[in-house]
C-alpha cells in the first residue's frame, strides 16, 4: 500500500457534496480529517460525525465557535453598523473567519498540510475561506475540488454525485433537495441559487426558515428595551417574558427569538460578488436587524456628529467591504477595526423598541452621556448660546458662497432662473 | 410721513409667528410683501392671503413650486439614495432650495432689498434659507427677527405673541396649539420641539398625520410595481386600482397615498443639526420610503459594483450632507450632482413590491440592461469563466496577505490563537 | 500546408522579446500582424517595421497616438492632479488605454481574433492592456506568452531568447542590454527590474535619460509662465526663447524640454502593483512635474475650498487608482471622469514659475475668476464681513466641542493634563 | 479703587499688538497675567518678560513646550503624512494645541476666568486657539479684542497703536515693521498679509528666514540617512558631521539645520482658510519637508498597499483638515488619531537621502519587515506565484468589465471609436 499524499483537513457539512469530496480525496490518496464548526446552525452534528467516519475520515473535529463568533466578529460589526450595499448584514461573511481560524488551529495541531472545502468556483465563500487560511497560515495548501477540472467535469450535476455516493455507500437523505442553497448560522440564513437565480422570481413562502411571515406574526406589538455599553448590547429586557438577557450569546439568541416571532429581518437582493458577478440572494437576519436599528438610534443620542460622519464614511463602508470580500485576516482589517473603540466610547444608554409584523420602531432612548441637551436644542427657549451667534455663523459660512455667486453673476452664469440641475458641460 | 426703510419679502406661513413678524416689520418701518410657496403642504392658501393683506402686507405672492420641487430636488435625491445619518430622508432640506429660489425671483422682480423669515435661531432652516438666498443673490439683506434681541426678548414665549396679535388685530386660530412644531410638504412632514424634546417620550399616536399606523393598516398586502428610467420613477402601476401614473408629481402623490394607507414611512430619531446641536425629530416620508427601497433594489440588478460603491461613499454621503446643511446653491453641489447622470445611465428596469403594514418588500425585479447573467452567476452550471480562473484570482489576491502573515509569524505576532480583535497599541 | 490557427495582432516593440514572440506565434501556427503605437517614445519605427516583416509578420501597423494620448488621457489626469501613492505620476498607465484602443481598432478592421503582447506575468501592464482590450472588445482573445508555461519554461532567461533569435535569424542589437527595463513615452520614462530590484541600490547616474541631473543643470534659474483654461494648459510662455506654445502636443514637448534642461521630474520609489507585489521603480516625468505644480497652485487661487477637498478625496484618489490598475475602459472611470468638468470650470488663470536645478517654484499667479479677494482676506483692513461675525461662528462651532468637553470632565476623562495622544482603549 | 473685572491670561508675544492689548485690558479693568510659550521660535523671552511686567502684567509665565510640541503634535502628523491642500505642512496649526493647553493649564492653576489673544478677526488662529480653549475648559471666557468693535475701531491702523503705545509708555522696536506678518516655531515659519496679499507678487529674497535660497546653497550634495521605528524618526545620521541624533527635539533641530543649509522647504501658496476666505501664505518647513519625503518613501517599502490607501484617503486627509481647522481637542481627532498606531506598526527601516539645492532625493531604503520580496517582484525570474495565476486573476477581474462592454455594444454605446472622454449627459 502506497504512502498517503498527505493529510487533509476537510470543512465538512454532512451533506452530499462534502461527503463525496471526502470519498474522492481518499480515492486520490489523501488521509482525510473532517472538521465541523458549530456557529449556531441547526444541525445534527452527531449524525454528521458518524457519517464522516463512515465515509472514511480518520478523525472528526467539532468546534463550538458560537461565543467567539459573537464577541469577535459580530460585535465589531454591530458597533460599526456594517452592511454591504446598503442591505445585506453580512451573516455568512461574519462566520467565515472564525471557522477558518478553527480549521487552521486544528490543521496546525494535527499536522495537516492541506485543507479542503466544498465551495463552488463562482461564489464568495471560496475566496473568504482561502484568504483567511492564507492570512493565518500562509504555507497551507488548499484543495478546492470544485475548481479542479478532473473533479468538476466528473461530477457535473447532482446525478453524478448521487451515483458516486451510491457507489461509495454514502448515505443520502431521502428528502428531495430544496431548489436553492442555504448557509445558516447564529446570525442568519442565506438562500441562493436554484430557482432564485431568476431575480424576478418571488421566493416561495415556505423557503423562509428563521422568521415568521409578517402576515402571520402576532397582531399585538411587543415592547422590549436594549441597553448598550460602548456600542455593545449588554442587556436585553423583555417585559412580556419578565426576562433579561446579558450574556452575549444569550442576548443574540433572545433577539433572534423575538425577531422570528414578529417577522423581522427578511431581505431579498441582487448583490455584487467579490469576483464581479451579480448574484441574487435572500437572507433572514433576525436579531441583527433589531440590533442595527437600536444601535444606530442610540448613536444619534450619544455619538458626536463628526465622529459619526467619519465613521460612517470610512469604518462602516470599509469594514463591510473587508468582511464581504473575506479580508478579515489582513492588515487593512487590523487598521480599520483599531478605530472602532474610540468611536464607541460614548455609545452608552437604553433604547426602547416596539416590534410588530416586520417593523422595528424606536419609541424612545436615554443616556447619561450628556451630549444631548434639551435646553440647548429647544426651539422654545434660549439656552446654550445666543441667537445672534448664529447670525455670525451664517455670515461666515456664506463668505465662500457669496464670492462664488458674485463670480457666477459676473460671468452671466449665476442668477435665479431654474437651470438644468445636473449642470452643463464645460 | 417718513419714507419706508425698504421693501421686505417675508416668507409667510399664515401662522401666528410670521403674522406677528409681518406686523412688527411694518411697525419697524418696512414695506412688507408676503410670500408663500406651495410645495404640496396642506394649507388654506386663500385664507393666508387674506390674512397677510389684512395684517398689512402690500402684496401677496403664492408660487406653485411642486413640479420643480419634484424634478429638480427630489429626483436627484432619489437617484443618489440621499439619506442623512442613515435615517432621515431630508424632506425639509429638499424643499428649502426651491422656496428660496422662488423668493429670490420675486424679490428680484419686485425690487425687494430685504427678505425675512420666521425661523428660530437654533435650527437648520434659518441656515438653509439664508445660504440659499446668498448663493442666488449675494447682495440680498436678511432680517431674521428670532435672532434680533429687540424682537426675541420682546416676544419671549407664546403669550407675548398672542398679546401682540390681539393688539394688532391679527386673527388667531381658536384651536389649541399642538405641543410640537411641524413642517409639511409633498415629500414629508416633520415634527419637533415641544414634548418631543425629551428623546425618551414616545410620540402620541395622534401626532402622525401622513400615514396610518401600521397596526391600523389593511390586513391584506398590496402589490405594485415601479418602472425606472435612468434611476427615475417613470411609471407606477397599481393593479388594485387598475391605474398607472407617469407624471412626476402624480407618481409622487400616488405613492404617498399607497404608503399612507399601508403605514409606511415613519421615523423617530435624534439627529445632529448643522450648528452642532443634537435634536429629536419625527418624520413621515411615505412615497420617499417606497422609492428608496425600489431604487436601491434596482441598482443591485443594473448598476456596476464599483460605480455603486464609489457613488455610495461619495455622492450619496456628500449630497446628503450638502442638502442637510443647506448648501444647495454652492459649487460643491454643482460638482457632486454632475456625477449623478453617469451613475444612473444603466438604472433601467422594473421593481415589484409588496406593501403591508409598514413594510416595503421587494418581490422581484427585471431589466434589459444585461449586467446580471443567470448563467454566469449560477452555482449549478459552468458559464462565463472557468473555475480554474478563480484559483488564479485567489492566489494573486493572497500574495499581499501571505507576505503580511509571514512577517507577522516571523515577528511572533501572527498565528492562529484568538487575539483581542481591536488590536493592541504600538 | 495546414490552415492558420487564426490571426494575431501583436503589440510589437522591435526588441528581442516581442521579436521572439512574433517568431514563436508563427511557429505555433498563427498568422501575425505587428502593431506599434507612437506615443512619443524615442524609437526607430522604420527599423522596427523592417524587422517585424523580416521575422515574418504579414502586416505592420504604426499608429501615431500622441495627440489623443495628450488630450484624452493626460489632460484629465492633469485636471484631476492624478498621482499614485503620492509620488508616481502614472506615465505608463496613461499610455496603455490609447495603445489598447489603437490595437482593438486595427484588430477590428483587420479581422484579428487574437491579440498578443510581451508583458511579463508579474507586472501591471499585462493587466492594464488586457482589461482595456476586454473593455472595448469583450470577445477578443489574448495570447500572453509570458504566462504560457510552454513558452516561459522554454525561454527561461535571456540566453534562451538569444539562441532562438539566432535560429530564427532575428537581428539582435549588438549593444549590451541595460541592467534594467524601461518604458518610454511622451509623458515619461520608467526604469525597473534588474539591478533596481534591490531597493537600496542607488540608480547609476547614466540611467536617467530624459532629464539632466540637477547637479548638471544650469546655474541660472529660468522663468516661464503657464496659462490655464478650465484646468488645462492652453499657453506656455518661455521668455528666454521668446516663444509661446499653445498646441497640446507642443505644450507638452516644450515643457519636457524645459524640465529636462533644469533637472526636473526624477523620482525613485517602491510602489504597490495591482497584483499586490511591491516593486521598485524609477521615473522621469519632466513636463508633468511642472504642470502638476502649476495646476495645483492655480487651483488654490481659483477653485472653491469644498470642491477642492471633495475632488482631492474622491476624484484624484479614485482616478489615480483606476489609471494605475488599468481600469480606464470601465463604468467607474466613466463615472469619476464625469465629475471633472464641473470641478475645473473656474480654473482659469496664469501661473509664473521659476525652474532651477530640480526645483519648480511658483513665483506668482493671477486670475480674473474673483474667488480671491485681497480686501476680504486682508489682516490689515476690514472688508467683506464684520469681525464680530467670527465670534458667532466660533461660538456655534464650539457648541458640539463644549458639550463633549463637559461630558469628559464629568466622567473624569477630560481636563488639561497631557495624555497619550493615540488614546487609550475602551 | 474699584474691584477688578476679573483675571485675564493674555497670550503675549512681546510685540506691539499684544502689548497694546495688555494695556487696554488693564484700562478696561482687568487684572492681566501674560503668557508666552516657547515652541522653538527665535525670541528674546527675557525682554518680553520685562516688557510685559513694565506694561502692567501682574505675572508673566513662560512655558517651554518644545518637547510636547514634537512628540504629541508633530509626531502623529509625520506618521500620517499630514498636509493641507497638498502643499501646506501645517506648522502653525500644529503649535496651537500645545500653546492652548499650556494656557489653560496656567489659567486653571492661577484662577483666570478669562483668556485673551491678539489674533485678528479674519484668520485661522483665533478659531484654532478658541476651539482648543473650549475643548479643554468649556467654561473659559475669551476676550478677542480684534473682534470687539470698541477696540478695532479705536485701533484701526498701525499708527493708532503706535500712538497708544507712546501714551502708555510701551517701548516700541525702532526697526521698521516688515511688510508682512510671521508666525514662527520649531517646525516652520509663515509669512502672510501686507505685500503678500497680492498673490502675483513674488516674495522678496530677504523675506525667507529659515532657509538658504537654493541658488545660494552648497554646490555639493550632502548624504544623510534617517531611521524610522513605527513611522517615527528615531535616528538621523549625518556622515559629513560624523554625528547621529536620536532625541526627538534634536532630530528635528538637526534636520532643520541640514534643510536650511540646502535650501529645502520653501512654499508659496494660496490656501483656503477655515472661515472660507482665500489667503496667500509663504512658508518654510525645513525639517518637515525632509521627514515627509523620507517617511512616505519608507512606507512604500514597509506598509501594506491597502492600509496605505485607506490611511491616505481617510486619516491623512481628515487629520490634516482637523489640524488646519483647529479641531485638535475634539472627539473626531481622538477617533482619527486612534487609527495611526496600527498603520505604522510595520514602518520600520532606513532611508538614505541626498540633499542638494532645494531637492530631497531618496537614494535607497531598507527594512527587515519583509513585505518587499525581490524574488517575487522580479521580472526576470519566477518566484512567489505562477504566471498562470495571473491569467485567472485577469479573467476574474474582467468579468464585470466584459459584461459592461457587452451591454454598451448591444445599446450601440460601446465600441472602439474615440469618444468625448468626459462623457455625455444622460
Amino acid at each position: 500500500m502506497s504512502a498517503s499524499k498527505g493529510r487533509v483537513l476537510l470543512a465538512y457539512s454532512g451533506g452530499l457534496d462534502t461527503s463525496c469530496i471526502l470519498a474522492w480525496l481518499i480515492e486520490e490518496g489523501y488521509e482525510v480529517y473532517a472538521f465541523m464548526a458549530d456557529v449556531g446552525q441547526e444541525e445534527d452534528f452527531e449524525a454528521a460525525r458518524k457519517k464522516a467516519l463512515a465515509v472514511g475520515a480518520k478523525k472528526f473535529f467539532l468546534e463550538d465557535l458560537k461565543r467567539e463568533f459573537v464577541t469577535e466578529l459580530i460585535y465589531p460589526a454591530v458597533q460599526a453598523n456594517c452592511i454591504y450595499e446598503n442591505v445585506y448584514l453580512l451573516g455568512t461573511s461574519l462566520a467565515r473567519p472564525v471557522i477558518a481560524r478553527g480549521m487552521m488551529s486544528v490543521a496546525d495541531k494535527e499536522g495537516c498540510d492541506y485543507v479542503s472545502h466544498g465551495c463552488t468556483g463562482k461564489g464568495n465563500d471560496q475566496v473568504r475561506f482561502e484568504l483567511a487560511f492564507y492570512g493565518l497560515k500562509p504555507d497551507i495548501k488548499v484543495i478546492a475540488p470544485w475548481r479542479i477540472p478532473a473533479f468538476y467535469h466528473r461530477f457535473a450535476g447532482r446525478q453524478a454525485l448521487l451515483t458516486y455516493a451510491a457507489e461509495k455507500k454514502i448515505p443520502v437523505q431521502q428528502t428531495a433537495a430544496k431548489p436553492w442553497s442555504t448557509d445558516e448560522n447564529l446570525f442568519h440564513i442565506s438562500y441562493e441559487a436554484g430557482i432564485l437565480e431568476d431575480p424576478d422570481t418571488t421566493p416561495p413562502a415556505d423557503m423562509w426558515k428563521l422568521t415568521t411571515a409578517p402576515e402571520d406574526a402576532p397582531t399585538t406589538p411587543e415592547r422590549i428595551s436594549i441597553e448598550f455599553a460602548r456600542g455593545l448590547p449588554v442587556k436585553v429586557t423583555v417585559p412580556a417574558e419578565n426576562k433579561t438577557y446579558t450574556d452575549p450569546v444569550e442576548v443574540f439568541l433572545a433577539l433572534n427569538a423575538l425577531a422570528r416571532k414578529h417577522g423581522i429581518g427578511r431581505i431579498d437582493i441582487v448583490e455584487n460578488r467579490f469576483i464581479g458577478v451579480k448574484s441574487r440572494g435572500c437572507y433572514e437576519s433576525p436579531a441583527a436587524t433589531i440590533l442595527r436599528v437600536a444601535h444606530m438610534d442610540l448613536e444619534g443620542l450619544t455619538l458626536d456628529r463628526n465622529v459619526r460622519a467619519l465613521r460612517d464614511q470610512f469604518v462602516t463602508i470599509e469594514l463591510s467591504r473587508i468582511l464581504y470580500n473575506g479580508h478579515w485576516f489582513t492588515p487593512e482589517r487590523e487598521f480599520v477595526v483599531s478605530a472602532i473603540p474610540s468611536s464607541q466610547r460614548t455609545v452608552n444608554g437604553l433604547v426602547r423598541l416596539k416590534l410588530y409584523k416586520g417593523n422595528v420602531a424606536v419609541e424612545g432612548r436615554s443616556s447619561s452621556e450628556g451630549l444631548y441637551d434639551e435646553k440647548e436644542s429647544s426651539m422654545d427657549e434660549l439656552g446654550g448660546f445666543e441667537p445672534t451667534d448664529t447670525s455670525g455663523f451664517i455670515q461666515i459660512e456664506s463668505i465662500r458662497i457669496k464670492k462664488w455667486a458674485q463670480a457666477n453673476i459676473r460671468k452671466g452664469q449665476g442668477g435665479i432662473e431654474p437651470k438644468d440641475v445636473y449642470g452643463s458641460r464645460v
Side-chain angles (χ1 to χ4, degrees), chain A residues 301-303 344-349 366-372:
Chain A
L301 188 67
T302 59
L303 188 53
Q344 298 293 295
R345 189 165 63 84
T346 59
V347 184
N348 305 301
S366 53
S367 169
S368 62
E369 281 298 310
L371 297 185
Y372 182 92

Side-chain angles (χ1 to χ4, degrees), chain A residues 13-81:
Chain A
S13 75
L16 177 62
D17 281 41
T18 52
S19 297
C20 289
I21 288 171
L22 204 171
W24 180 81
L25 286 167
I26 295 166
E27 192 179 299
E28 290 287 307
Y30 294 97
E31 182 182 40
V32 184
Y33 287 10
F35 176 93
M36 286 189 84
D38 176 1
V39 286
Q41 73 275 38
E42 189 181 282
E43 190 77 61
D44 184 341
F45 294 111
E46 182 50 24
R49 191 187 67 81
K50 285 186 184 147
K51 190 169 173 181
L53 296 173
V55 179
K58 294 278 182 188
K59 293 192 181 180
F60 177 88
F61 301 87
L62 173 65
E63 303 283 325
D64 180 352
L65 304 172
K66 292 196 290 292
R67 187 158 302 272
E68 60 195 86
F69 179 32
V70 172
T71 59
E72 294 186 43
L73 271 294
I74 294 175
Y75 267 20
V78 167
Q79 290 179 304
N81 302 326

Side-chain angles (χ1 to χ4, degrees), chain A residues 14-16 19 50-51 54-55 165-166 168-174:
Chain A
L16 177 62
S19 297
K50 285 186 184 147
K51 190 169 173 181
V55 179
K168 293 286 176 181
K169 299 196 167 46
I170 299 170
V172 176
Q173 276 193 289
Q174 294 312 312

Side-chain angles (χ1 to χ4, degrees), chain A residues 193-307:
Chain A
I195 60 166
L196 301 175
E197 282 168 4
D198 175 355
D200 206 20
T201 296
T202 307
D206 68 353
M207 178 190 79
W208 305 100
K209 179 182 168 188
L210 298 189
T211 61
T212 303
E215 291 88 332
D216 302 329
T219 53
T220 310
E222 175 163 9
R223 264 80 183 181
I224 65 167
S225 67
I226 306 180
E227 188 183 330
F228 288 86
R230 289 169 178 168
L232 294 174
V234 292
K235 187 171 172 187
V236 169
T237 302
V238 188
E241 301 174 9
N242 200 20
K243 278 200 180 160
T244 61
Y245 303 89
T246 56
D247 172 78
V249 175
E250 286 176 13
V251 158
F252 222 82
L253 295 177
L255 291 174
N256 266 344
L258 287 160
R260 170 193 289 263
K261 178 175 159 194
H262 293 288
I264 292 161
R266 294 183 174 187
I267 59 166
D268 175 346
I269 62 169
V270 177
E271 73 196 50
N272 294 287
R273 289 189 202 143
F274 185 27
I275 60 166
V277 168
K278 285 186 177 295
S279 164
R280 197 266 192 95
C282 298
Y283 303 92
E284 290 171 287
S285 306
T289 301
I290 296 177
L291 276 175
R292 178 175 170 79
V293 169
H295 181 262
M296 292 206 317
D297 183 77
L298 186 60
E299 289 194 335
L301 188 67
T302 59
L303 188 53
D304 173 78
R305 177 190 63 188
N306 287 20
V307 174

Side-chain angles (χ1 to χ4, degrees), chain A residues 341-377:
Chain A
S342 83
S343 79
Q344 298 293 295
R345 189 165 63 84
T346 59
V347 184
N348 305 301
L350 189 84
V351 180
R352 298 187 298 104
L353 301 166
K354 180 179 75 171
L355 312 181
Y356 173 68
K357 284 188 172 287
N359 298 278
V360 186
V362 179
E363 296 204 315
R365 70 293 279 170
S366 53
S367 169
S368 62
E369 281 298 310
L371 297 185
Y372 182 92
D373 179 335
E374 275 189 55
K375 193 173 170 214
E376 195 169 71
S377 71

Side-chain angles (χ1 to χ4, degrees), chain A residues 1 32 52 133 148 325:
Chain A
M1 179 198 143
V32 184
F133 297 154
I148 298 173
N325 292 347

